[in-house]
Amino acid sequence: MCVSYRATDAEVLEAITGLSTAGMAPWKEQIWQDYPAPIIRAGQNGGMELVLGSYGMIPKDKVPAGFQLTTMNARAETVGEKRSYSGAWRAAQTCLVPMMGFYEPNWESGKAERWEIGMADGAPFFVAGLWRDWDDGLRTSFTQLTISADGHPLMSRFHRPTHEKRSLVIIPREQAEDWLNVGNPEIARAYLQLYRADLMLGRPATRGYGGRREGVR
C-alpha cells in the first residue's frame, strides 16, 4: 500500500481550494511517515479548512515502546474495527489529502520499480482520509483509506504478483465537500470506490537520461 506521495505545493493548493496557506509551515514535496503535510477537513458551517497534519494516524512518538506500528493506510474493510482508526471513523472525521501523485512498487520486470500514479491530465487530486487530534488539539494526524484493487486495469499492476492489490480512494473534485460533511460512517462507505483507470496514469518515478517519462495507462 502507499507509504509515500508527492504533495501539492502551496500555490496550486490555494488555487484549487480557494483557501490560504498563510501561516502554515512549509512542507516537503515527497511525504513519508510522520512528515507534516496539508489536509482539508470540514470547517465551520460546513466549509473547508486547511490544516497541517502528520502522515500516519498514530505518530511515532505516540506508539508504545517496543511496538512497531505503521498507520499511513486504513483498510476500508476493517476501519471501523481497528483501534487506530475506529474512533475517527465512527465520528466521521473525514478529510481530503491533496496530492499530485502517489507511489507503488511495480514488479512486472521481476524486481521492484518505484512508480508514480496520478491523473492522466497531470492535475492535482484528492484522496480520502481520516484525521484525529492529539495533545488537546495542538496537533493533527491523518491516514489514507484503501480498498481492494482486484481487476482494476492500472492499480492491479502493483505489488508482488502474489500479494493483495490495493488502491487509495480518489474523491472527485465535485464530491469533495460532500465527503468532508458526510457525518455518517455508513454513508461514507458509498464514496469508497475505485477511480476510473482511463482518467489515471502510471509511470516510473525516476527520469531516464533523456529527462522524459512515458506514461502507461
Side-chain angles (χ1 to χ4, degrees):
M1 289 186 281
C2 174
V3 296
S4 65
Y5 66 91
R6 183 160 62 96
T8 306
D9 67 29
E11 183 177 355
V12 171
L13 187 55
E14 290 183 346
I16 63 174
T17 64
L19 302 172
S20 174
T21 60
M24 297 179 68
W27 56 89
K28 295 182 180 296
E29 179 186 45
Q30 299 281 318
I31 305 299
W32 295 85
Q33 184 177 7
D34 275 0
Y35 281 25
I39 61 169
I40 305 163
R41 64 185 182 186
Q44 294 182 350
N45 302 317
M48 298 191 298
E49 70 170 358
L50 277 176
V51 297
L52 206 62
S54 62
Y55 182 33
M57 201 66 160
I58 312 295
K60 286 182 180 178
D61 66 350
K62 297 295 184 180
V63 177
F67 284 82
Q68 290 188 344
L69 186 64
T70 58
T71 54
M72 288 90 79
N73 300 281
R75 295 171 60 91
E77 298 87 343
T78 58
V79 67
E81 305 165 13
K82 297 294 184 180
R83 186 175 178 182
S84 298
Y85 315 112
S86 59
W89 175 252
R90 288 194 300 266
Q93 290 176 189
T94 52
C95 69
L96 296 165
V97 185
M99 62 181 70
M100 301 302 298
F102 58 93
Y103 300 98
E104 299 286 6
N106 184 305
W107 283 82
E108 292 172 337
S109 68
K111 61 180 181 180
E113 182 180 17
R114 191 176 189 233
W115 274 42
E116 180 177 340
I117 299 96
M119 296 294 98
D121 61 3
F125 58 98
F126 298 139
V127 163
L130 297 173
W131 64 271
R132 65 166 292 180
D133 281 337
W134 299 86
D135 305 329
D136 296 324
L138 294 178
R139 62 171 168 161
T140 301
S141 64
F142 67 94
T143 189
Q144 302 164 136
L145 288 160
T146 73
I147 55 177
S148 172
D150 289 343
H152 190 269
L154 178 61
M155 296 309 301
S156 63
R157 297 177 59 187
F158 301 107
H159 299 280
R160 290 178 182 271
T162 57
H163 286 193
E164 184 182 13
K165 309 303 180 182
R166 306 289 297 178
S167 177
L168 298 181
V169 176
I170 297 170
I171 300 293
R173 196 83 58 85
E174 63 271 16
Q175 296 178 10
E177 289 199 32
D178 291 338
W179 167 254
L180 295 180
N181 293 283
V182 67
N184 184 314
E186 294 312 309
I187 296 175
R189 289 195 180 277
Y191 291 84
L192 306 183
Q193 305 288 331
L194 290 169
Y195 201 68
R196 283 175 48 183
D198 62 307
L199 299 180
M200 301 172 69
L201 182 70
R203 58 187 180 184
T206 54
R207 293 185 181 273
Y209 290 113
R212 182 177 179 180
R213 296 181 292 188
E214 295 295 339
V216 180
R217 297 185 190 178

